[in-house]
Amino acid sequence: MNNLLKDNAALVEKFRSIRTPFYYYDTELLDKTLQAIKKETDQHEGYHLHYAVKACTNSKVLSHIMKAGFGADCVSGGEIQACLNAGFPASEIVFAGVGKSDWEIVLGLKVGIQYFNVESIPELEVINEIAAGMQKVARVSFRINPNVGADTHANITTGLAENKFGIAMEDMEKVITLANEMKNVEFVGLHFHIGSQILEMDNFIALSNRINELQDQLEQNGIRNVKNINVGGGLGISYQDPDGQPIPDFKAYFDTYAKYLKLRPGQHLHFELGRAVVAQCGSLITKCLYVKKAATKQFAIVDAGMTDLIRPALYDAFHKIDNLTSNAAEETYDVVGPICESSDVFVKDYSMNATKRGDLLALRSAGAYGEIMASQYNCRSLPIGYTTEDI
Ligand code: LLP
């Protein structure tokens, strides 16, 4: 099987002259991924993708996604600004989050975003009040907590009653009625999101079934003005096999909703995929500083750390590591970073080509929740992100 990075000798040669660690985004793969999504959404009437910007806000990556014609799902004023800078029309931006600050609501109203995904009654009241002060009408969609689990890491499930997200199902009619009575908000839809890195379609079937029940219930109570259903994101990727599965199975994902979710006539279905769009196109490129042999282990100490890619430390996440500059017989390593924390470990007991000082390593599938979650702990510089066009 071809290794998308390692087999590209010319690219690896170029990497040698760039200061490590850095992120590399393969924009050819990104474009192919975007086309694969488009091919599927175009087949279904009323399907729209708002890219979940939180996964990666690198401006060049955003620009590719904007040019492919997708909208954006933002969770902060900063993300809204990043999207506007990248050229996304405000009318294609939706804005979620449990704790929107007043200035973020003002920004959303000022630029005219498509709608707010509202997560509580107090938030609805504040949006109505701010919109009244600005003589505007805010379009609002309610994030309902569907109490549907997801087969994923506990830290990234969001749709259970115990999670902080969304409005309880029991309160759904109450908030819609309330919004319909308010002068400065317009109710435009329902929003859901059950979690992230989900590979079992059963989870999306369970969400579809729950939405069907809720829609029936609303209709029985005479509420028929639900223009949009937004099912959030969550489709996972193969961290084990980025070369074998560089593009996620979008067909299975969209077909699942087409089969199980009963949209009402004229209703639009919105998706907020993040990881599945950008994860596989990004790699964190790092240099081996030292190989340290201890009694029972050998450590490959690299110049990237948990400050550059926190997912292994935070979620026990696995990222495949390729030594881009060695084909020597494999040996076993703990690959660790330079940060003064025991959790600064990328992987333990990992087989890879024999590694020496100066070798370039790629931590794969790092395009989502990689660069954007970087920190400056230990007074480190933030990693720079380069795309195929830059190199
Ligand atoms: N919509 C909402 C409301 C969300 O909360 C999220 C992600 C998404 C969409 C996009 O989900 P995706 O398609 O990327 O699964 N930092 C974690 C992931 C946190 C996801 C938070 N919400 C990680 O590195 O795995």
Side-chain angles (χ1 to χ4, degrees):
M1 185 200 307
N2 275 354
N3 184 308
L4 290 173
L5 277 186
K6 190 163 176 159
D7 295 345
N8 190 340
L11 182 66
V12 174
E13 203 42 49
K14 287 181 190 159
F15 284 171
R16 285 185 191 278
S17 58
I18 302 173
R19 182 177 160 175
T20 50
F22 63 90
Y23 275 87
Y24 169 68
Y25 299 98
D26 176 345
T27 41
E28 269 174 44
L29 177 59
L30 174 62
D31 288 343
K32 279 190 199 152
T33 307
L34 295 169
Q35 281 158 22
I37 297 173
K38 217 155 187 71
K39 183 170 163 240
E40 298 305 325
T41 50
D42 283 354
Q43 276 174 27
H44 303 284
E45 174 124 4
Y47 281 28
H48 307 273
L49 184 92
H50 292 98
Y51 162 63
V53 170
K54 63 174 81 66
C56 178
T57 22
N58 178 287
S59 59
K60 294 192 179 124
V61 168
L62 280 184
S63 163
H64 275 257
I65 298 172
M66 182 275 297
K67 284 187 188 136
F70 296 111
D73 155 42
C74 295
V75 291
S76 71
E79 285 190 356
I80 294 177
Q81 203 53 64
C83 287
L84 294 173
N85 294 346
F88 283 89
S91 60
E92 294 301 320
I93 295 175
V94 298
F95 180 20
V98 284
K100 299 177 189 75
S101 295
D102 293 14
W103 73 266
E104 296 176 307
I105 296 170
V106 170
L107 175 66
L109 285 168
K110 200 165 90 189
V111 301
I113 60 166
Q114 191 173 6
Y115 56 82
F116 292 84
N117 284 314
V118 172
E119 306 219 10
S120 66
I121 294 177
E123 182 194 335
L124 176 69
E125 288 165 348
V126 169
I127 291 179
N128 184 51
E129 201 180 298
I130 293 178
M134 294 172 73
Q135 292 173 330
K136 299 222 177 225
V137 174
R139 286 171 294 275
V140 297
S141 171
F142 291 116
R143 178 167 182 178
I144 305 297
N145 187 325
N147 200 14
V148 168
D151 301 311
T152 186
H153 191 285
N155 285 8
I156 49 179
T157 63
T158 46
L160 287 174
E162 68 196 47
N163 297 129
K164 69 177 175 179
F165 299 100
I167 295 168
M169 283 183 289
E170 304 73 59
D171 292 336
M172 178 179 65
E173 276 142 61
K174 185 167 132 199
V175 283
I176 296 175
T177 310
L178 199 61
N180 286 340
E181 287 164 1
M182 288 177 170
K183 284 209 177 67
N184 294 84
V185 296
E186 180 196 351
F187 167 66
V188 296
L190 297 176
H191 176 229
F192 304 85
H193 174 75
I194 54 172
S196 200
Q197 184 51 20
I198 298 169
L199 290 163
E200 291 299 327
M201 293 302 126
D202 286 358
N203 294 292
F204 301 122
I205 297 175
L207 176 61
S208 300
N209 291 338
R210 177 53 51 81
I211 297 173
N212 294 341
E213 280 166 31
L214 294 175
Q215 293 231 80
D216 288 346
Q217 190 184 314
L218 287 179
E219 278 172 4
Q220 279 157 20
N221 289 301
I223 297 174
R224 290 170 204 285
N225 55 340
V226 186
K227 289 188 199 137
N228 307 303
I229 297 290
N230 181 330
V231 288
L235 177 64
I237 60 133
S238 173
Y239 282 97
Q240 300 292 334
D241 189 14
D243 294 305
Q245 297 178 55
I247 299 181
D249 192 351
F250 292 113
K251 182 168 169 45
Y253 175 74
F254 289 109
D255 283 356
T256 298
Y257 280 108
K259 184 162 173 204
Y260 292 94
L261 184 67
K262 294 186 200 129
L263 284 183
R264 303 323 197 229
Q267 229 171 24
H268 290 255
L269 183 57
H270 292 183
F271 299 88
E272 298 172 342
L273 294 178
R275 186 189 318 266
V277 183
V278 290
Q280 296 295 36
C281 80
S283 297
L284 173 61
I285 311 297
T286 180
K287 199 173 272 171
C288 176
L289 296 171
Y290 307 103
V291 175
K292 178 162 91 172
K293 293 187 201 289
T296 55
K297 287 206 173 265
Q298 60 179 348
F299 296 96
I301 303 169
V302 299
D303 62 3
M306 62 191 283
T307 50
D308 305 294
L309 178 64
I310 201 173
R311 302 193 69 259
L314 196 56
Y315 314 116
D316 259 333
F318 172 76
H319 286 263
K320 186 171 181 277
I321 304 181
D322 294 329
N323 184 329
L324 302 178
T325 50
S326 165
N327 284 316
E330 291 193 349
E331 291 186 24
T332 305
Y333 300 90
D334 282 14
V335 181
V336 302
I339 312 299
C340 298
E341 291 271 344
S342 304
S343 50
D344 186 28
V345 174
F346 287 123
V347 66
K348 287 186 175 167
D349 299 321
Y350 185 70
S351 286
M352 64 178 179
N353 296 113
T355 298
K356 59 182 185 314
R357 174 174 166 82
D359 278 348
L360 285 177
L361 274 54
L363 284 104
R364 307 289 305 278
S365 315
Y369 309 110
E371 183 185 356
I372 193 64
M373 290 180 79
S375 78
Q376 292 191 300
Y377 183 44
N378 284 191
C379 278
R380 286 168 60 85
S381 307
L382 291 174
I384 294 179
Y386 298 99
T387 61
T388 310
E389 294 93 41
D390 298 322
I391 289 187

